[in-house]
């Protein structure tokens, strides 16, 4: 099995898109991520997976906190900015939730404190203890097979 076959297989899992954000000394750093999962209800825990080459890795270790921002369908450009798919620098305004930087307009802003970290292969898994949540209505941005998609509601035909 080669790397591209593995990537292709993992890309068959349709996901939402998040931007993980943290700040060190008041400077906010964001990164697009879809390796995000709910872990536990009591206590409320989530997990994110950050590649060893990502600059945000050291920043989360320093701040010991992060936010997960679940993007709305109209926020594709933000995903591209924080994935480095748009190269030129864009100013992005952040709000605060429980002191963590969060993206306005995200469907869910989830503020977390790092409760554990595990290095697994070339990624680090951060377990986040959820300290606050803010929700908005709207449709999600979807990522599938390496492309951004929109959610289409299945129409049930009654005869
Ligand atoms: P950098 O290269 O440092 O930053 C990424 C971009 O964000 C840069 O262009 C930077 O200018 C911009 N940026 C950062 N902070 C700000 C700010 N405050 N204001 C304005 N711009 C800013 N990688 C993973 O490790 N885990 C994942 O789960 C994951 N999922 C992904 C899902 C999708 C759909 C995509 C497209 C990519 C995913 N990636 C994931 C890859 C990851 O987003 C990129 O490799 C990213 O560029 C690496 O992050 P970095 O911290 O090194 O970012």
């Amino acid at each position: 099995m080669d790397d591209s076959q593995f990537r292709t297989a993992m890309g068959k899992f349709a996901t939402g898109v998040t931007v993980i954000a943290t700040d060190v000394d008041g400077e906010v750093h964001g990164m697009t991520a879809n390796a995000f999962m709910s872990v536990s209800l009591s206590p409320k825990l989530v997990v994110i997976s950050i590649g060893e080459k990502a600059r945000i890795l050291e920043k989360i270790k320093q701040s010991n906190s992060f936010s997960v921002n679940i993007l709305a369908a109209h926020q594709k450009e933000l995903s591209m900015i924080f994935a480095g798919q748009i190269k030129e620098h864009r100013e992005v305004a952040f709000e605060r939730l429980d002191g963590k930087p969060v993206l306005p307009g995200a469907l869910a802003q989830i503020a977390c404190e790092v409760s554990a970290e595990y290095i697994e292969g070339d990624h680090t898994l951060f377990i986040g203890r959820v300290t606050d949540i803010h929700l908005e209505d709207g449709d999600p941005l979807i990522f599938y097979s390496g492309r951004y998609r929109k959610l289409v509601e299945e129409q049930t035909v009654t005869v």
Side-chain angles (χ1 to χ4, degrees):
M1 181 213 322
D2 64 15
D3 290 359
S4 89
Q5 192 183 24
F6 182 79
R7 276 175 192 267
T8 303
M10 296 306 116
K12 298 295 180 195
F13 189 56
T15 66
V17 181
T18 79
V19 170
I20 309 298
T22 192
D23 70 345
V24 175
D25 299 331
E27 193 183 323
V28 179
H29 191 91
M31 190 195 86
T32 300
N34 63 352
F36 162 69
M37 186 175 82
S38 160
V39 171
S40 161
L41 186 61
S42 180
K44 293 179 180 56
L45 301 174
V46 297
V47 64
I48 57 171
S49 177
I50 306 289
E52 64 186 357
K53 293 188 181 138
R55 292 201 303 146
I56 200 169
L57 180 62
E58 284 308 314
K59 293 175 191 289
I60 294 176
K61 287 182 178 182
Q62 283 178 51
S63 67
N64 221 33
S65 67
F66 60 88
S67 72
V68 180
N69 302 271
I70 300 177
L71 297 186
H74 62 84
Q75 294 181 310
K76 177 177 151 188
E77 189 175 311
L78 285 175
S79 175
M80 295 180 73
I81 290 171
F82 290 106
Q85 293 167 327
I86 293 176
K87 298 291 174 205
E88 65 273 14
H89 180 75
R90 302 273 176 90
E91 282 303 317
V92 179
F94 284 83
E95 297 172 342
R96 295 275 160 178
L97 181 70
D98 192 36
K100 285 85 177 168
V102 289
L103 278 174
L107 296 182
Q109 302 169 337
I110 305 164
C112 302
E113 304 279 349
V114 173
S115 73
E117 62 182 81
Y118 305 95
I119 298 171
E120 295 294 343
D122 55 12
H123 277 59
T124 297
L125 306 180
F126 287 100
I127 306 292
R129 184 178 59 80
V130 177
T131 60
D132 206 350
I133 283 179
H134 175 78
L135 297 171
E136 302 268 344
D137 286 334
D139 286 333
L141 182 62
I142 303 290
F143 198 70
Y144 175 71
S145 268
R147 293 176 63 178
Y148 294 103
R149 318 269 177 159
K150 283 184 179 158
L151 198 62
V152 178
E153 198 167 341
E154 194 175 317
Q155 298 294 321
T156 308
V157 182
T158 46
V159 198

